């Protein structure tokens, strides 16, 4: 998979993809992330990419011209399965969306900034609008990093145990069950006996029951999605 990200402040995205799982996946050629500086497509001496909004009001808006230039340039070499705009008024990103995006081959993510991007870009280029929650960030870079991380870890070969992603929280609208590791007795706090008995069927049943219980207690709204 290849993911391109258009940003006004590309430096914000240097760290998230330079460590841990995503770094190793990129080094192994399992996926590729490229960050494009929107200012490289500005035609002004000052590399301006924003302007005041028509009708007045506080806040600047990313202009059509540099953003359209960037997208047109990128589309000369590839066809994107989705052009995604990160915005607070987009559809809330969840595990099911991550699963669907992980099946794509090429994605373009546009990071909003200031008061957002000109509506005409949203109407004529963007195919998917995503939000990572009901709050506002300074820009879409951190939100884009969240999406890339959630999608990237689902790609075959990225995780050491390829089945582990299948048992993450939200994969089946359930929260993940509790997990334990050694020692079996720590300060008198003991690991549930069923996990020590070596019966895979009983362990699976226990984990499923725990997932149901935890979801009912903490996220009953997830049951309403069924």
């Amino acid at each position: 998979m290849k993911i391109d990200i258009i940003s006004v402040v590309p430096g914000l995205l240097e760290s998230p993809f330079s460590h841990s799982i995503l770094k190793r996946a990129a080094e192994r050629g399992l996926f590729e992330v490229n960050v494009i500086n929107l200012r490289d497509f500005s035609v002004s001496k000052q590399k301006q990419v924003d302007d005041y909004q028509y009708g007045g009001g506080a806040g600047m808006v990313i202009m059509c011209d540099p953003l359209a230039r960037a997208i047109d340039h990128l589309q000369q070499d590839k066809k994107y399965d989705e052009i995604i705009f990160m915005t607070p008024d987009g559809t809330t990103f969840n595990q099911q969306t991550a699963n669907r995006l992980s099946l794509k081959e090429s994605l373009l993510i546009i990071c909003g900034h200031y008061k957002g991007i000109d509506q005409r870009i949203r109407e004529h280029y963007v195919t998917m609008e995503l939000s990572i929650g009901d709050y506002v960030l300074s820009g879409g870079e951190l939100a884009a990093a969240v999406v890339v991380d959630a999608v990237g870890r689902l790609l075959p070969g990225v995780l050491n145990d390829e089945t582990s992603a299948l048992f993450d929280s939200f994969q089946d609208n359930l929260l993940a069950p509790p997990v334990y590791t050694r020692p079996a007795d720590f300060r008198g706090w003991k690991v549930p006996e069923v996990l020590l008995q070596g019966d895979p069927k009983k362990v699976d049943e226990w984990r499923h029951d725990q997932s149901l219980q935890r979801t009912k207690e903490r996220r009953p709204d997830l049951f309403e999605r069924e």
Side-chain angles (χ1 to χ4, degrees), residues 50-63 114-116 118:
D50 62 311
D51 207 340
Y52 295 103
Q53 56 183 311
Y54 281 120
M60 308 290 277
V61 177
I62 293 179
M63 298 184 292
Y114 314 116
K115 293 295 286 185
D118 191 293

Side-chain angles (χ1 to χ4, degrees), residues 24-25 31 34 55 66-67 96-97 100 103 108 112 116-117 138 171 180 200 216 226:
R24 294 194 296 272
F31 91 128
N34 300 301
L67 194 45
Q96 287 67 43
T97 303
R100 291 196 299 272
L103 302 176
L108 174 62
I117 65 176
S138 298
Q171 279 291 6
Y180 301 85
K216 287 178 181 178
E226 295 291 344

Side-chain angles (χ1 to χ4, degrees), residues 10-215:
L12 288 176
L13 290 166
E14 291 177 0
S15 178
F17 310 132
S18 301
H19 304 277
S20 190
I21 293 173
L22 294 186
K23 177 186 178 182
R24 294 194 296 272
E27 290 174 344
R28 293 164 58 193
L30 298 175
F31 91 128
E32 178 183 328
V33 179
N34 300 301
V35 182
I36 294 91
N37 189 340
L38 180 60
R39 296 188 188 279
D40 290 341
F41 294 89
S42 173
V43 295
S44 73
K45 285 186 177 180
Q46 297 78 21
K47 296 299 181 182
Q48 181 180 355
V49 296
D50 62 311
D51 207 340
Y52 295 103
Q53 56 183 311
Y54 281 120
M60 308 290 277
V61 177
I62 293 179
M63 298 184 292
C64 279
D65 186 65
L67 194 45
R69 285 174 180 269
I71 298 171
D72 290 343
H73 174 77
L74 293 168
Q75 286 185 322
Q76 289 178 2
D77 299 323
K78 68 189 72 173
K79 177 176 174 58
Y80 293 107
D81 296 307
E82 297 285 359
I83 297 179
I84 302 168
F85 174 47
M86 304 305 306
T87 174
D89 59 352
T91 301
T92 302
F93 182 67
N94 58 25
Q95 190 63 46
Q96 287 67 43
T97 303
N99 291 344
R100 291 196 299 272
L101 290 177
S102 72
L103 302 176
K104 308 296 184 180
E105 294 184 359
S106 184
L107 303 175
L108 174 62
I109 301 178
I110 301 171
C111 298
H113 219 67
Y114 314 116
K115 293 295 286 185
I117 65 176
D118 191 293
Q119 179 64 28
R120 289 166 290 186
I121 297 294
R122 298 173 72 166
E123 292 174 354
H124 296 282
Y125 284 97
V126 172
T127 63
M128 175 182 289
E129 299 188 344
L130 293 177
S131 165
I132 62 167
D134 295 337
Y135 46 87
V136 179
L137 300 172
S138 298
E141 286 76 16
L142 296 180
V146 167
V147 170
V148 172
D149 187 281
V151 172
R153 66 190 304 279
L154 294 172
L155 300 177
V158 170
L159 298 182
N160 291 332
D161 181 355
E162 292 186 19
T163 64
S164 65
L166 300 178
F167 297 98
D168 288 338
S169 291
F170 308 113
Q171 279 291 6
D172 51 5
N173 274 350
L174 295 176
L175 299 182
V179 293
Y180 301 85
T181 189
R182 292 180 290 183
D185 188 333
F186 177 68
R187 298 180 181 177
W189 307 333
K190 298 182 179 180
V191 172
E193 189 64 29
V194 65
L195 299 178
L196 307 175
Q197 293 174 347
D199 187 330
K201 183 177 180 181
K202 289 184 178 180
V203 169
D204 287 344
E205 291 175 351
W206 179 86
R207 285 174 172 163
H208 183 66
D209 289 342
Q210 290 293 312
S211 288
L212 287 171
Q213 180 179 333
R214 179 170 284 192
T215 305

